[in-house]
Amino acid sequence: MKVLFLHGLESKPGGSKAVYLSDKGYEVLNPALPKSSFPESIAIAQQVIDDEDPDVIVGSSRGGAVAMAVDPRGARLVLVAPAWKNYGVPPTVPPDTIIIHSPLDAIIPVDDSREIEGAQAVVPVGEDHRMFDQEALSAIGRAVRGDY
């Protein structure tokens, strides 16, 4: 299965969540998204989607906002603490979208994820916004597999 992983603002390709998915056997596409330009990040992500046709798009924090702003072309979305409000992205997603968000997140409130319309589920797991504890990583893995 091909997974497009869109990293957060302070992250870069090769972070813990992308490595976790790669270690689980997924083909992980993990482009660098520039901090300086949200529109450029959207364009980069859309180009990867158009060229590579991923099965699942995982977006973490700012990457979640990017995932909400692209045309997924049939790929399922897994959003991890999506920072949609920070970037003015409309709060709607396809119905098979799973959102993973820590109730203890001090950066992006979990209530922001609960405001998103259309999601199949908001899964409350994780120790904080970074979402690299084992419980959060396992939940991301289950969502990618379609186990919610």
Side-chain angles (χ1 to χ4, degrees), residues 9 38 61-62 65 82-89 107-109 112 129:
L9 182 64
F38 188 69
S61 193
R62 181 178 183 265
W84 63 274
K85 279 189 174 181
N86 296 20
Y87 297 95
V89 176
I107 296 173
I108 304 295
D112 286 6
H129 183 71

Side-chain angles (χ1 to χ4, degrees), residues 92-113:
T92 58
V93 294
D96 56 354
T97 300
I98 301 294
I99 303 170
I100 311 291
H101 204 135
S102 172
L104 305 174
D105 191 331
I107 296 173
I108 304 295
V110 69
D111 284 342
D112 286 6
S113 285

Side-chain angles (χ1 to χ4, degrees), residues 10 16 18 25 41 65 75 79 86 96 102 104 122 130 140 144-145:
E10 298 300 329
S16 59
S41 294
L79 305 176
N86 296 20
D96 56 354
S102 172
L104 305 174
V122 176
R130 299 206 46 184
I140 294 166
V144 168
R145 282 193 312 270

